[in-house]
Amino acid sequence: MAVSAVHLESDAFLVCMNHALSTEKEEVMGLCIGEVEIAKIVHIHSVIILRRSDKRKDRVEISPEQLSAASTEAERLADMTGRPMRVVGWYHSHPHITVWPSHVDVRTQAMYQMLDQCFVGLIFSCFIEDKNTKTGRVLYTCFQSVNAQKGSEYERVEIPVHVVPREAIGKVCLESAVELPRILCQEEQDTYRKIHSLAHLDPVTKIHNGSVFTKNLCSQMSAVSGPLLQWLEDRLEQNKQSIVELRQEKERLLLELAAVCGSKYIFRQLPK
Amino acid sequence: MAEPTVRVSGIVLSSLVFQHVNGDSDVEGLILGESKFEEQITISDSQADNIHIEEVYNIQKHISCLKLNEFYDAVGDVNIDAVKKILADNKEEDVIGWYRQRRNSEQQMTFREKVVHEKLKTSLCNPHMIFVLLTPSRSTPTGSTHKMEYAAFTSRSRLFVNIPVLVSNLGLLESPAYWKASAPCSAGGYRLATSRYSSNFFSSNGLLRDVNDVNAMSDAVQEELQRACRKLEESERLVESLQNDVLTLRRKIREKKSEEP
């Protein structure tokens, strides 16, 4: 097996989860940036949220342009961190459906593995609810593809995935998180631009389309941007509180260290 | 009575999961937000007027406790001073419940959690509170697939019932379709009337005024997001740095103490 395990930093996991939970109407996707370590462990440090050009069900392919842009971003991260970063995988969501990859997903994964045998796939299944117990569920899985023994061309291989604790959120992951509202807005602006440029639309149609655009942008601000901004501000407030407490603790410890060092000095001075 | 609902945004639910994966033990804390109770009357020909109360609990944020059992003791009695300390500058009236994350556990409240819940309701003088339970577990022996289950509970006459948790997302909001062609209408009067008022809607660049305005508003929101992101990033680095300093100092103190005769 090319990959023995995947280590996913918890702040990258946060970005993936938030992206997956942003909509239950369609699958979302992105790319994973990281490095392959000794013992064939793929370490994912951050993710890049992608736009989907084809929003049909189960069509989560990544265009060559997107892969190229992601590679450029990986190089930027490599410069920033001093570590050999590259695109190491992809993730996408399965709203309301099983976490297991479809045969299309397995084939897509196999295609990526032809370029890089360590390329991994992550799937986040969300918006699942047990109607009887009213329990909600989010699942995530990691997989690669291998040639099937018989029958279909490829089959899934399970790859163990561990979320690596990281209490503080990294700069790159924070920037990725706030990219989501910008990408959603751009998608809507592009769609509207295409519609608005159609010829022979009468004023009533144009007014309707403008209202649809306004409504959709308001939905994005209300459902995605607003809560994200609230979360950023709330976390900042919590950090400010933590900073005060940590500074007090540091002062206390400095005094304690000085006392311990002072007492050692006295011990040395005392006659034996 | 209509079924109560808990609503939470994707980022807050993700943040709860994020907090848990960063620790070895169970995690608990307080939930802040807004609870709304609205009377709704449905009238139909087939039955008499039906009045029901719609209960909606909107979770806006969570505050984690530094350790377990921070605001209650062994018998479940709540320490209101500890609750206030956890809340810091947040208001007590914004507390709509509390949560706990337990690994590899069943989606059921323990007896102690039920006791704490009832006592928290009394201490905060809020008869309508929720308890959110998150239970992550491994789904496959290889560790390739993991599951996080979540549910909310509330008590009615000391009986605990499950409430569905709805994750607010774009998919819940209606998205009307764009029109790609105009409905054919050759009536002169129609064209005259619509043309007369169309200039009210369009600006000089040919776009609708509303479209220009909402674009500007969206840009302003994006700027705020970027600003908040930069401020948060600075604070994350400072917290990280201070945590490292504290750990280093503790290690030095231990080493110095162990060197003492």
Side-chain angles (χ1 to χ4, degrees), chain A residues 38-219:
Chain A
I38 304 163
K40 297 287 176 78
I41 294 175
V42 174
H43 198 122
I44 299 172
H45 289 274
S46 68
V47 295
I48 295 175
I49 289 171
L50 294 178
R51 285 174 60 162
R52 275 182 69 202
S53 47
D54 188 343
K55 296 218 173 179
R56 284 177 290 175
K57 194 179 169 317
D58 218 13
R59 299 299 297 267
V60 280
E61 289 108 23
I62 303 163
S63 69
E65 293 79 20
Q66 286 175 318
L67 267 174
S68 172
S71 299
T72 307
E73 174 64 13
E75 281 166 18
R76 186 182 75 87
L77 290 177
D79 288 338
M80 214 165 82
T81 58
R83 303 172 77 108
M85 300 284 192
R86 68 175 209 254
V87 179
V88 293
W90 65 307
Y91 73 89
H92 70 282
S93 68
H94 274 187
H96 296 292
I97 55 174
T98 176
V99 72
W100 307 126
S102 63
H103 69 277
V104 174
D105 292 336
V106 175
R107 201 179 326 124
T108 306
Q109 170 65 28
M111 297 299 117
Y112 294 139
Q113 274 174 239
M114 285 183 192
L115 301 170
D116 178 358
Q117 62 172 353
C118 293
F119 206 82
V120 294
L122 291 168
I123 298 176
F124 289 81
S125 165
C126 39
F127 302 107
I128 309 280
E129 196 203 17
D130 184 325
K131 295 280 182 231
N132 293 327
T133 59
K134 299 188 185 93
T135 302
R137 200 176 290 154
V138 174
L139 295 100
Y140 58 98
T141 192
C142 186
F143 72 105
Q144 281 197 303
S145 299
V146 290
N147 287 318
Q149 302 270 343
K150 54 187 176 195
S152 58
E153 26 175 11
Y154 298 105
E155 59 186 21
R156 162 180 73 97
V157 167
E158 293 178 22
I159 304 290
V161 58
H162 310 281
V163 178
V164 178
R166 194 192 160 164
E167 283 195 41
I169 304 172
K171 179 175 195 256
V172 175
C173 287
L174 277 173
E175 287 171 353
S176 290
V178 299
E179 264 298 284
L180 175 59
R182 197 186 66 79
I183 285 172
L184 291 171
C185 181
Q186 261 182 359
E187 278 184 351
E188 197 63 39
Q189 284 170 341
D190 288 349
T191 306
Y192 176 68
R193 204 170 292 124
K194 283 185 193 136
I195 295 285
H196 193 67
S197 64
L198 290 171
H200 311 303
L201 294 181
D202 66 11
V204 169
T205 303
K206 288 185 177 178
I207 292 166
H208 164 85
N209 288 341
S211 305
V212 168
F213 175 77
T214 301
K215 192 236 162 277
N216 288 346
L217 238 59
C218 288
S219 296

Side-chain angles (χ1 to χ4, degrees), chain A residues 10-11 13-14 17-18 21-25 99-100 127 129 133-142 158-171 174-175 178 181-182 184-185 188-189 191-192 195-196 198 200-210 212-221 223-225 227-232 234-236 238-239 241-243 246-247 249-250 253-254 256-257 260-261 263-264 267, chain B residues 3 9-15 17-18 21-23 60-64 66 85 88-89 107 138-152 162-165 167-183 190 194-195 198 201-202 206-208 210-211 214-215 217-219 221-222 224-226 228-229 231-233 235-240 242-243 245-247 249-250 252-253 256-257 259-261:
Chain A
S10 64
D11 52 354
F13 174 70
L14 169 70
M17 182 82 94
N18 179 44
L21 291 171
S22 64
T23 178
E24 62 179 289
K25 264 209 179 138
V99 72
W100 307 126
F127 302 107
E129 196 203 17
T133 59
K134 299 188 185 93
T135 302
R137 200 176 290 154
V138 174
L139 295 100
Y140 58 98
T141 192
C142 186
E158 293 178 22
I159 304 290
V161 58
H162 310 281
V163 178
V164 178
R166 194 192 160 164
E167 283 195 41
I169 304 172
K171 179 175 195 256
L174 277 173
E175 287 171 353
V178 299
R182 197 186 66 79
L184 291 171
C185 181
E188 197 63 39
Q189 284 170 341
T191 306
Y192 176 68
I195 295 285
H196 193 67
L198 290 171
H200 311 303
L201 294 181
D202 66 11
V204 169
T205 303
K206 288 185 177 178
I207 292 166
H208 164 85
N209 288 341
V212 168
F213 175 77
T214 301
K215 192 236 162 277
N216 288 346
L217 238 59
C218 288
S219 296
Q220 286 172 15
M221 284 190 276
V224 179
S225 308
L228 182 57
L229 192 45
Q230 166 110 56
W231 175 78
L232 288 167
D234 289 341
R235 191 164 166 103
L236 176 62
Q238 283 182 25
N239 281 356
Q241 172 99 359
S242 299
I243 286 164
L246 284 165
R247 279 183 172 146
E249 176 68 0
K250 185 177 168 180
L253 288 168
L254 281 168
E256 190 179 336
L257 181 63
V260 169
C261 292
S263 69
K264 271 184 62 62
F267 269 118
Chain B
E3 187 175 56
S9 64
I11 185 62
V12 171
L13 182 59
S14 306
S15 167
V17 177
F18 170 72
V21 299
N22 285 330
Q60 286 161 359
K61 69 189 217 187
H62 64 96
I63 302 175
S64 57
L66 290 173
K85 194 174 170 210
D89 294 332
Q107 268 289 328
R138 216 181 242 211
S139 290
T140 54
T142 54
S144 65
T145 307
H146 301 260
K147 178 171 65 176
M148 164 70 84
E149 291 190 311
Y150 52 91
N162 279 60
I163 316 176
V165 177
V167 180
S168 311
N169 68 93
L170 280 169
L172 288 175
L173 300 167
E174 277 176 35
S175 184
Y178 287 105
W179 292 347
K180 291 181 182 169
S182 300
Y190 180 82
T194 53
S195 302
S198 65
F201 292 87
F202 295 92
L207 285 177
L208 269 89
D210 281 357
V211 165
V214 82
N215 270 329
M217 185 189 287
S218 173
D219 287 344
V221 170
Q222 302 291 344
E224 289 300 320
L225 278 165
Q226 292 295 331
C229 175
K231 279 187 187 171
L232 179 61
E233 203 271 321
S235 72
E236 294 283 323
R237 300 292 74 79
L238 187 48
V239 165
E240 239 179 348
L242 284 167
Q243 280 171 340
D245 289 347
V246 163
L247 285 172
L249 283 167
R250 283 185 184 146
K252 278 186 180 168
I253 289 168
K256 294 289 181 195
K257 281 182 175 173
E259 285 169 15
E260 279 177 17

